[in-house]
Amino acid sequence: MDSTVRTGTELLWSALGGDPALVDRVEYGGVSGLLPARLPVMDLARATVAACSLAAVEHAGLPGPVRVDDGAVATAFVSERHLRVDGRAPVNFAPLSRFWRAADGWVRTHANYPHHKAALLTALGVPDSVEAVAAAVSGRKAVEVETAVYAAGGLAVALRTPEEWAAGEQGREVAARPLLTRERLDEAAPRARGGRPLRVLDLTRVIAGPVATRTLALLGADVLRIDPPGNPELPDQHADTDVGKRTAALDLGRASDRRTFDELLDSADVLVTGYRPGALDRFDLERPGLVTARLSAWGDYGPWGGRRGFDSLVQVATGIAAVEGSAAEPGALPAQALDHGTGYLLAAAVLRSLTEQRTEGGSRLVRLALAQTGHWLTHSLPRYEPERYLVETEGPLGRLRHAVSPVSYEGGPAGWTRAPGLPGADAPKWPGA
């Protein structure tokens, strides 16, 4: 594969603070043309998996090489669609999780979880019916729906163009920050493991966080996922992303469960959280020597810093849905690529932090956001732009725009020396004859 395939891996490995020379270990292969989109989705998918695999062999002290198969990558990025439970296909989006036409545009809602569905219906003042929600949304402006639903504790986002997102305060905040942040918080020694497996405490929800911890479990970590007793993960999401893990239920508001959780955290090596910023602050999750990874939808800054969010909503707010859609209706990426990509990147950041911690010590904090990954997709990865491969030529037929030749080599021609002439206008003889 050419250098543009390698570019994404190089960019991510640099953001992770890795040795640039290690990128040479990565070998790419497999079928091409997967996850087609206007944005370079396959490049994002390939690069995040490559960076995660590279971080894994670095942490394990293996020589490599790292092999990245596009078929495996593309399939994993839609793993939730391929899932079957006793032959039954999964439910990935509930009926009220969809686009709705508003009075001045479009709104996308997320109502997969029962409490989010209830908040949506309360905000709109309608019964549980697609027709009722459609009617309520159609009579309001998109941003009004967004504001009302979020105020009620639900999730709805008005469709924005890339320009509208970039001009807004949250868009400016996202653009001003790096793809991810990695911090050394103190001089504490790493957690003593004594030969036992890496212990990862998983406090995440659909999809990015669970993909990260699923990957760490694949690599040998003992992953224990904790959910509230009354709000477990959705069954199909659990079946897809909790492979390799153990799961438990704890109510951190109950004293006995809180003591159990604190004991688990005291003996953990890694903590991964995926709840909205600030939601877990009251539980005092800091421990010396711990590697903590925090994932959010919009980032823990700006006016949207405390908002809940999911991949589908981030696509709508940041302009991705507008880019992938048409004048008639919004579109979507061919996969929940922000979720899956951020998941592999999060796992890579954890592994890199553990690798550095072995020699440098220090408690570690890494932070990622789906909106940051979306910004990286739309602004950092090379995109196919036909204009780069078109030229204009003056000739007897007028000004022509045409494609450059794909035949290219060192010392070869830069282009044709003759423009097309009028049909039959040349003498039927060789020059100089």
Side-chain angles (χ1 to χ4, degrees), residues 74 117 154 208 224 226 266 335:
K117 174 182 173 181
L224 178 60
I226 304 295
D266 288 340

Side-chain angles (χ1 to χ4, degrees), residues 145-157:
V145 175
E146 173 185 284
T147 302
V149 174
Y150 265 107
L155 294 108
V157 170

Side-chain angles (χ1 to χ4, degrees), residues 65-433:
V66 168
R67 296 186 177 89
V68 179
D69 183 298
D70 276 9
V73 171
T75 304
F77 264 61
V78 290
S79 62
E80 66 275 11
R81 300 180 196 172
H82 291 292
L83 175 72
R84 295 294 182 272
V85 180
D86 288 334
R88 177 186 60 80
V91 177
N92 291 317
F93 285 103
L96 300 186
S97 297
R98 48 167 282 186
F99 280 109
W100 310 87
R101 187 181 289 277
D104 62 345
W106 292 87
V107 175
R108 181 147 192 171
T109 56
H110 197 288
N112 285 8
Y113 289 98
H115 58 294
H116 292 155
K117 174 182 173 181
L120 170 66
L121 297 175
T122 297
L124 298 177
V126 297
D128 182 3
S129 154
V130 170
E131 293 76 16
V133 173
V137 174
S138 67
R140 305 188 191 187
K141 292 184 177 181
V143 172
E144 290 177 359
V145 175
E146 173 185 284
T147 302
V149 174
Y150 265 107
L155 294 108
V157 170
L159 178 71
R160 291 167 172 81
T161 65
E163 295 75 21
E164 289 169 337
W165 172 252
E169 187 174 352
Q170 191 65 28
R172 293 195 301 270
E173 292 277 359
V174 168
R177 287 171 167 77
L179 169 61
L180 58 91
T181 60
R182 302 166 60 248
E183 302 174 53
R184 180 180 176 181
L185 303 178
D186 54 35
E187 303 298 321
R191 294 296 179 92
R193 289 168 54 185
R196 62 167 171 75
L198 182 75
R199 290 175 176 169
V200 177
L201 204 54
D202 180 357
L203 275 65
T204 66
R205 306 293 267 186
V206 180
I207 293 175
V211 164
T213 51
R214 179 181 71 183
T215 303
L216 294 173
L218 170 77
L219 300 173
D222 182 358
V223 179
L224 178 60
R225 176 187 170 116
I226 304 295
D227 282 308
N231 189 19
E233 185 55 283
L234 298 171
D236 289 342
Q237 293 292 343
H238 165 70
D240 180 46
T241 58
D242 284 342
V243 60
K245 311 174 192 178
R246 294 181 296 116
T247 65
L250 288 175
D251 179 357
L252 300 190
R254 181 185 302 157
S256 59
D257 282 8
R258 175 62 190 276
R259 287 193 295 271
T260 299
F261 176 79
D262 285 341
E263 291 170 359
L264 290 170
L265 186 58
D266 288 340
S267 58
D269 305 298
V270 177
L271 171 67
V272 185
T273 68
Y275 290 80
R276 63 183 175 84
L280 301 176
D281 287 354
R282 66 188 185 277
F283 297 122
D284 184 23
L285 302 180
E286 296 181 5
R287 297 292 189 279
L290 189 69
V291 173
T292 301
R294 295 180 187 166
L295 171 71
S296 63
W298 311 103
D300 55 0
Y301 44 78
W304 290 27
R307 287 193 178 189
R308 301 173 178 87
F310 294 94
D311 181 313
S312 58
L313 302 182
V314 175
Q315 290 187 40
V316 172
T318 60
I320 291 174
V323 170
E324 294 294 336
S326 66
E329 59 183 351
L333 298 178
Q336 299 285 288
L338 306 184
D339 259 330
H340 285 273
T342 305
Y344 290 108
L345 188 56
L346 189 154
V350 167
L351 292 166
R352 286 247 60 246
S353 296
L354 290 166
T355 298
E356 293 179 346
Q357 193 185 55
R358 279 197 300 237
T359 57
E360 302 171 8
S363 306
R364 305 283 172 148
L365 173 63
V366 299
R367 288 181 287 184
L368 300 91
L370 301 184
Q372 294 290 166
T373 303
H375 184 80
W376 188 76
L377 169 66
T378 55
H379 289 80
S380 297
L381 283 171
R383 294 170 61 176
Y384 169 60
E385 298 172 348
E387 291 74 15
R388 293 179 53 195
Y389 308 100
L390 299 172
V391 295
E392 290 190 349
T393 303
E394 292 282 0
L397 300 182
R399 177 174 290 274
L400 298 182
R401 188 181 75 161
H402 59 89
V404 301
S405 174
V407 177
S408 177
Y409 54 91
E410 189 72 25
W416 290 277
T417 58
R418 290 175 58 87
L422 298 174
D426 295 303
K429 63 179 183 179
W430 300 115

